[in-house]
Amino acid sequence: MPDVKHFDPELTLDQVVALFWQRGADTTGIADVVQATGLSRSSLYATFGGKAQLQAAALGRYLERQSRPVFDALAADERGVPAIAAFFERLVAARCSGEHARWGCLVTNTHATASGGLPEIRNILDRHHDTLRAAMRAALEAARAAGQLRPGLDLEGAAEALTLQAYAVNLRSRAGAEAAVLLAGVRAVLDGFTTPEEKR
């Protein structure tokens, strides 16, 4: 007879996301996952595969549930620079207060670990980066159309810089940086992109 799962894999994956997000996947062993989920090693391996496959599944889940809705909203927001500023304000608030305060970002955290070099994980990291950068590019295009950007600004370079700024917010917030300091850094970057009229 086929093996019948007596647990919800979707709920289990949500538990793993939270565990890896808060504690870090590289420093969390399978024994920790077993304890957190209440499942046996054999059930975990049979459902998700090894540790790398489980981490990749958790990252994919995080991208689709946590990141992509925010990126899609930014890409669709036609306000330009105010949309980018609002994105960072929400990001800083989420990273410095609330349920997941000081956890950083699961994807950003993974960039700084050895497991980030595994092909199945690197693919998700790259997909996350490309999606965020595309959303930043769309917001910058709206800003240019509204006359908010200084002439000659390289939109590709600016989108990459803003994407890297989001990573910096994620990492520094996890290390305890204050919200006001993080927001000041974001404003300085945006000031370098905008026209004098927009800064006023």
Side-chain angles (χ1 to χ4, degrees), residues 101-116:
R102 306 303 176 186
W103 288 19
C105 162
L106 178 58
V107 174
T108 302
N109 297 345
T110 305
H111 272 287
T113 66
S115 62

Side-chain angles (χ1 to χ4, degrees), residues 55-116:
Q55 186 178 358
L59 277 172
R61 179 74 151 211
Y62 182 94
L63 172 59
E64 295 303 322
R65 295 288 183 88
Q66 298 289 334
S67 302
R68 192 176 296 279
V70 178
F71 299 168
D72 289 347
L74 174 61
D77 194 324
E78 299 180 350
R79 293 178 296 160
V81 171
I84 298 170
F87 167 88
F88 278 104
E89 287 166 4
R90 289 192 296 270
L91 180 65
V92 170
R95 297 295 178 247
C96 295
S97 61
E99 180 183 0
H100 304 122
R102 306 303 176 186
W103 288 19
C105 162
L106 178 58
V107 174
T108 302
N109 297 345
T110 305
H111 272 287
T113 66
S115 62

Side-chain angles (χ1 to χ4, degrees), residues 70-197:
V70 178
F71 299 168
D72 289 347
L74 174 61
D77 194 324
E78 299 180 350
R79 293 178 296 160
V81 171
I84 298 170
F87 167 88
F88 278 104
E89 287 166 4
R90 289 192 296 270
L91 180 65
V92 170
R95 297 295 178 247
C96 295
S97 61
E99 180 183 0
H100 304 122
R102 306 303 176 186
W103 288 19
C105 162
L106 178 58
V107 174
T108 302
N109 297 345
T110 305
H111 272 287
T113 66
S115 62
L118 298 174
E120 58 265 57
I121 292 175
R122 171 57 54 192
N123 178 268
I124 298 171
L125 297 182
D126 290 344
R127 183 151 39 100
H128 178 277
H129 182 89
D130 292 345
T131 305
L132 175 54
R133 183 176 56 193
M136 290 293 184
R137 173 64 190 259
L140 287 167
E141 288 172 350
R144 172 165 285 175
Q148 299 168 348
L149 302 181
R150 63 174 175 79
L153 180 68
D154 175 10
L155 295 193
E156 284 295 333
E160 182 71 16
L162 290 171
T163 301
L164 297 177
Q165 187 70 26
Y167 294 155
V169 167
N170 291 330
L171 288 174
R172 288 294 299 144
S173 65
R174 188 173 174 86
E178 295 298 324
V181 174
L182 297 172
L183 288 172
V186 170
R187 283 193 295 270
V189 172
L190 288 177
D191 281 350
F193 296 164
T194 53
T195 62
E197 293 79 10

Side-chain angles (χ1 to χ4, degrees), residues 11-32:
L11 176 59
T12 298
L13 193 54
D14 287 338
Q15 293 172 320
V16 174
V17 167
L19 184 65
F20 286 171
W21 186 3
Q22 182 178 21
R23 296 174 56 175
D26 275 22
T27 58
T28 302
I30 289 297
D32 299 310

